[in-house]
């Protein structure tokens, strides 16, 4: 039973298209996140939701729009895809929004390639 | 701002060798420090953590000590196995903050 699952695992698409990545967690956590890992392997947070409410929104183009229909799901929709959006996107969840030693649980990642 | 710097990879070792992956950080106050591991085809998993100075995190034979004076959290293991081959990420979270700040990851390959 996968705790944090993302779909699809791979996504290849043309510039200008709109695509979505889905994320679901079955851990009963209140908080979910999206991270982007660039070609140099740096992982940076994009968004965080707590109980369907947006609490972190880093400097991300507004072509990226997260949607949380319920606290177990946090989907990422990307409009007008650009070459620079090619990366691996990770979803994560944690029990609480804050806490010094709080653990985040990650999905396996979605590799997006924009051609 | 807050940042984490890890040693550049890839790192290739033979089985039973001693492993050190360096990690230094820049942060205000007393952040919590973490090592995450990503095995091939899987998501990141927490390997170990330390929440205050001089704490030692340990798991699966790996250890890291929170060194405030050198702002470091180096990962060590005395005898690596082929199954330790993975990408290792050092990360911090500032007190009271929610987001994790990651280093760039270090790919480790262990040869039999």
């Amino acid at each position: 039973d996968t705790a944090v699952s993302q779909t699809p695992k791979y996504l290849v698409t043309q510039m200008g298209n709109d695509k979505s990545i889905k994320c679901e967690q079955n851990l009963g956590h209140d908080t979910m996140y999206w991270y982007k890992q660039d070609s140099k392997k740096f992982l940076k947070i994009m968004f965080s939701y707590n109980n369907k409410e947006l609490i972190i929104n880093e400097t991300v183009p507004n072509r990226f729009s997260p949607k949380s229909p319920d606290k177990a799901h946090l989907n990422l929709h990307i409009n007008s895809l650009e070459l620079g959006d090619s990366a691996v996107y990770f979803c994560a969840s944690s029990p609480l929004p804050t806490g010094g030693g709080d653990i985040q649980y990650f999905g396996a990642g979605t590799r997006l390639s924009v051609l | 701002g807050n940042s984490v710097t890890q040693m550049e990879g890839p790192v290739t070792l033979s089985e039973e060798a001693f492993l050190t992956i360096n990690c230094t950080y820049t942060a205000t106050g007393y952040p919590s420090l973490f090592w995450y591991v990503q095995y091939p085809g899987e998501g990141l998993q927490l390997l170990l953590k330390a929440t205050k100075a001089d704490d030692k995190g340990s798991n699966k034979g790996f250890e890291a000590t929170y060194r405030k004076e050198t702002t470091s959290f180096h990962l060590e293991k005395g005898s690596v196995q082929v199954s330790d081959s993975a990408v290792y990420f050092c990360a911090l979270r500032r007190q009271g903050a929610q987001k994790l700040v990651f280093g760039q990851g270090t790919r480790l390959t262990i040869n039999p």
Side-chain angles (χ1 to χ4, degrees):
Chain A
D1 234 9
T2 307
V4 181
S5 58
Q6 298 177 224
T7 53
K9 197 164 184 176
Y10 301 96
L11 185 52
V12 181
T13 188
Q14 300 288 330
M15 258 195 328
N17 284 350
D18 302 339
K19 290 293 179 187
S20 292
I21 307 172
K22 295 186 176 181
C23 179
E24 176 182 5
Q25 53 96 2
N26 62 8
L27 298 167
H29 291 167
D30 282 341
T31 308
M32 296 184 72
Y33 312 79
W34 275 108
Y35 288 84
K36 179 180 179 182
Q37 185 179 40
D38 62 24
S39 57
K40 295 186 178 178
K41 298 293 186 188
F42 280 99
L43 258 171
K44 291 185 181 173
I45 192 163
M46 301 172 69
F47 301 103
S48 173
Y49 269 70
N50 181 51
N51 213 359
K52 302 195 297 174
E53 186 181 330
L54 180 67
I55 51 175
I56 288 179
N57 184 351
E58 292 292 291
T59 309
V60 176
N62 56 15
R63 297 181 295 104
F64 290 78
S65 53
K67 287 185 171 45
S68 182
D70 55 63
K71 73 173 193 178
H73 295 85
L74 181 62
N75 303 323
L76 184 64
H77 189 75
I78 316 170
N79 288 328
S80 305
L81 277 155
E82 299 178 357
L83 293 176
D85 297 333
S86 295
V88 181
Y89 292 85
F90 287 96
C91 178
S93 72
S94 64
L96 298 167
T98 59
D102 197 19
I103 298 169
Q104 293 186 13
Y105 295 80
F106 284 77
T110 296
R111 183 175 295 277
L112 171 64
S113 300
V114 182
L115 307 177
Chain B
N2 304 313
S3 66
V4 176
T5 303
Q6 292 179 231
M7 65 187 286
E8 290 263 352
V11 174
T12 303
L13 296 172
S14 297
E15 208 164 18
E16 298 183 5
F18 184 85
L19 168 72
T20 300
I21 301 178
N22 288 340
C23 171
T24 56
Y25 68 89
T26 303
T28 53
Y30 295 87
S32 294
L33 301 174
F34 306 82
W35 277 100
Y36 278 81
V37 58
Q38 184 182 21
Y39 297 105
E42 298 182 16
L44 281 74
Q45 306 172 24
L46 180 70
L47 180 60
L48 53 86
K49 66 178 184 179
T51 57
K52 60 183 190 295
D54 299 326
D55 264 4
K56 179 186 282 188
S58 61
N59 186 24
K60 299 183 181 179
F62 290 89
E63 289 183 342
T65 301
Y66 189 143
R67 301 279 188 210
K68 181 71 176 170
E69 64 277 12
T70 53
T71 62
S72 65
F73 193 54
H74 304 322
L75 183 68
E76 296 183 336
K77 186 173 185 180
S79 176
V80 291
Q81 306 300 313
V82 172
S83 56
D84 294 327
S85 299
V87 181
Y88 292 80
F89 292 89
C90 187
L92 69 82
R93 176 161 56 217
R94 196 169 43 85
Q95 264 181 322
Q98 184 184 62
K99 66 178 185 180
L100 286 168
V101 176
F102 284 90
Q104 72 269 40
T106 302
R107 182 176 297 278
L108 172 68
T109 301
I110 307 299
N111 293 322

